[in-house]
Amino acid sequence: NDVHHQDITLVAVAVKPSLQATHIVPRYDQVVVGNASRRMVEIFNPAPAIVPFKLVYSAPASISVDFSPAIALLAPLTKRELTVTVLAAEKGKVAVHIYAVFVNDLGEELVDVAPLSLCTLHLKAVYPVLQISNVAAAGSAERVDKSRLWRMTGVHSFNTLVKKKPTPGERVHDSVTRTSMRLATAFTTPASVDLHLGTGVYGSEPSTVYWTLNNNRLVECYWQVAYPTDLQVQVDSWAEEMLTLEEAMTFHYLKSSTFTVSPKSGCVMPGGSCVIKFKYEHHISGENTIPVVLKIREGREIKLQLHGTTVPVVPAMPYAMWPSQTHTFHPVAVRSRSPPVQPFTLYNDGTLDLRYSVDETIINELDKLCAGHSPLTCQNPRGVIPARGCLDVRFVFSPRAIHKYKFDVDIRTGNDDSVGGNGGGDGEMDCQRVTFYGSSFDYPVLNETEL
């Protein structure tokens, strides 16, 4: 048989590999520090040949990136989605540069082909934060004015603390679930806020305070409130030691629902808000307190020291309520010709009018020392606070030099005439020392032509 031979010509064209990143969201809005965030990157192969490749990245040391799959094979003129997982260990803004490295069939890099820059992801890592945007009151606390309500419920302190970086201990657990030897020392978080729920007569309506918390970040925010009894306490220690008075009172408060918080957990979506209700029942006379913890997952853990006061049912009487034992004046310019009047508010939660008297001893001493120009004066050192009302004691802070000032002023309150005099009477009276702080600043004096 005749054998016919046919020559076949094989033509091969070498093309330079190329890839493109398409339909990618180039900017991460926000991600939670320590949490993995995933995005899909679509890769297109414009070349007429199969392209094997792998992705690599360039980013700061605090950023780790994983790709899935690790090595991909892309047919000619086709697209494929790859998963990019980014984990940020620190708060801040960073850029993640993604490159394609071309490989052979064995997965080895082609040394003669330079890596190809595909895209850059901009990442902003944040901690979840809830901030108080509004406070409201009901029941026995309803008559408290708005400005006082914000002060007594610790709004400023909470909003300041919650924005700070969580300590390593706060981020160990997603929820408040730790073991303690003693109930009284179970909460060891360094951030603490005093939340005063108000004063009421025994058996009166509960004092209720509502916090409205907003999530202004672009990440979900999970939160939880825990009572001391919600923690895991080692039982062995209870068999060896008796309950302390503080622990016994904590159990009593919780069992009798003296203090309640609701709801105790939730999730606030980006741009959303939630309302937490704190309620104090007036059925235990005296000043009562209990600690709870507000835990934000992956964020701060803040101890809320809840306070409530119940006045026993007695014949009609006044009752002084002190907003604080310290007060800070607004800064005032040195040698100001018209320093502002700065009020310190006194409250009377009783059923009778309450007299007060400011001890002007330190003011008079400063007046003599400063040749008639005391840095502190009081416009109404004596007066009457109406029942169930309040009164502003008007102070004028007028510094004469750049300095930080501190004044210890005694304020007497009572329901008889001895308070309005020199304080030497023997009637019912209370003396409270309040420490006032002030600071001054200077500014250039303008000429008349500059005014």
Side-chain angles (χ1 to χ4, degrees):
N1 296 330
D2 295 335
V3 178
H4 298 280
H5 297 275
Q6 181 69 41
D7 293 334
I8 299 176
T9 302
L10 300 178
V11 180
V13 179
V15 297
K16 184 177 181 180
S18 178
L19 294 173
Q20 298 173 359
T22 61
H23 297 92
I24 179 175
V25 179
R27 183 178 299 275
Y28 282 4
D29 292 324
Q30 290 181 2
V31 296
V32 177
V33 175
N35 278 9
S37 179
R38 295 174 177 83
R39 290 291 188 277
M40 304 305 295
V41 178
E42 188 178 74
I43 305 297
F44 173 65
N45 177 15
I50 298 175
V51 177
F53 67 97
K54 66 179 180 179
L55 298 180
V56 296
Y57 72 94
S58 171
S62 61
I63 302 296
S64 62
V65 181
D66 289 324
F67 302 100
S68 179
I71 297 179
L73 195 67
L74 200 55
L77 305 176
T78 58
K79 300 177 181 179
R80 181 174 182 179
E81 284 190 339
L82 301 180
T83 302
V84 182
T85 303
V86 182
L87 181 66
E90 294 291 340
K91 177 182 176 181
K93 296 180 180 179
V94 294
V96 180
H97 305 283
I98 299 178
Y99 304 88
V101 175
F102 300 101
V103 298
N104 57 24
D105 294 340
L106 300 177
E108 299 169 341
E109 296 184 14
L110 301 179
V111 295
D112 55 339
V113 181
L116 178 66
S117 177
L118 291 178
C119 61
T120 299
L121 300 180
H122 297 275
L123 170 68
K124 184 178 181 181
V126 299
Y127 294 105
V129 168
L130 288 176
Q131 290 210 284
I132 303 171
S133 61
N134 190 32
V135 180
S140 294
E142 188 174 11
R143 58 189 172 82
V144 179
D145 64 85
K146 199 75 170 182
S147 59
R148 179 193 174 194
L149 189 62
W150 278 66
R151 291 195 301 271
M152 63 186 280
T153 55
V155 174
H156 177 72
S157 297
F158 180 89
N159 286 343
T160 300
L161 291 171
V162 79
K163 291 188 295 184
K164 294 185 177 181
K165 180 181 177 180
T167 63
E170 292 176 52
R171 302 191 69 236
V172 170
H173 305 282
D174 288 340
S175 58
V176 191
T177 53
R178 64 184 66 120
T179 301
S180 173
M181 289 295 293
R182 299 298 305 184
L183 181 65
T185 59
F187 295 148
T188 56
T189 174
S192 180
V193 172
D194 287 314
L195 200 164
H196 295 269
L197 300 178
T199 302
V201 179
Y202 183 91
S204 61
E205 285 188 272
S207 293
T208 306
V209 170
Y210 299 90
W211 272 4
T212 300
L213 298 121
N214 285 0
N215 178 11
N216 297 322
R217 300 286 167 89
L218 300 179
V219 295
E220 296 178 350
C221 186
Y222 294 87
W223 60 272
Q224 172 199 5
V225 173
Y227 298 142
T229 51
D230 292 334
L231 303 184
Q232 300 175 13
V233 182
Q234 294 185 3
V235 180
D236 293 344
S237 66
W238 296 85
E240 297 174 2
E241 301 181 44
M242 296 293 292
L243 289 178
T244 65
L245 178 60
E246 181 181 355
E247 291 166 341
M249 289 303 299
T250 296
F251 274 113
H252 182 56
Y253 293 145
L254 295 176
K255 186 177 179 180
S256 61
S257 298
T258 303
F259 292 94
T260 55
V261 183
S262 61
K264 291 183 63 180
S265 62
C267 175
V268 184
M269 303 303 291
S273 63
C274 69
V275 176
I276 302 180
K277 174 177 146 183
F278 302 90
K279 187 171 72 171
Y280 169 67
E281 296 278 359
H282 295 283
H283 54 216
I284 301 178
S285 297
E287 297 182 1
N288 305 299
T289 183
I290 187 175
V292 300
V293 162
L294 175 61
K295 167 69 179 179
I296 297 176
R297 185 187 299 179
E298 300 294 343
R300 294 236 62 183
E301 180 178 294
I302 299 179
K303 180 169 70 173
L304 306 178
Q305 198 74 35
L306 306 184
H307 302 272
T309 302
T310 298
V311 181
V313 178
V314 295
M317 62 175 291
Y319 185 83
M321 180 67 181
W322 298 91
S324 175
Q325 293 181 357
T326 62
H327 183 78
T328 302
F329 293 125
H330 293 293
V332 176
V334 173
R335 299 179 299 278
S336 173
R337 294 180 179 180
S338 56
V341 174
Q342 306 201 39
F344 178 73
T345 307
L346 297 178
Y347 302 90
N348 177 12
D349 285 325
T351 54
L352 289 181
D353 291 348
L354 177 68
R355 294 179 179 273
Y356 77 91
S357 174
V358 176
D359 188 340
E360 298 182 274
T361 302
I362 186 173
I363 296 176
N364 295 332
E365 290 178 354
L366 288 171
D367 192 64
K368 294 178 181 179
L369 186 64
C370 300
H373 297 284
S374 173
L376 182 68
T377 57
C378 181
Q379 294 183 343
N380 55 339
R382 283 168 291 278
V384 177
I385 311 170
R388 301 290 185 181
C390 61
L391 180 141
D392 288 338
V393 181
R394 301 186 299 274
F395 287 96
V396 177
F397 172 55
S398 54
R400 311 301 296 174
I402 298 293
H403 188 66
K404 291 188 179 296
Y405 294 80
K406 175 183 176 183
F407 312 97
D408 290 323
V409 179
D410 290 334
I411 302 178
R412 293 182 173 85
T413 57
N415 61 348
D416 66 344
D417 294 335
S418 65
V419 178
N422 299 321
D426 297 326
E428 296 182 24
M429 59 185 300
D430 175 51
C431 182
Q432 179 71 52
R433 173 160 293 184
V434 180
T435 300
F436 293 89
Y437 296 94
S439 60
S440 56
F441 63 92
D442 203 356
Y443 56 87
V445 178
L446 299 178
N447 297 325
E448 291 185 0
T449 56
E450 296 177 305
L451 297 176

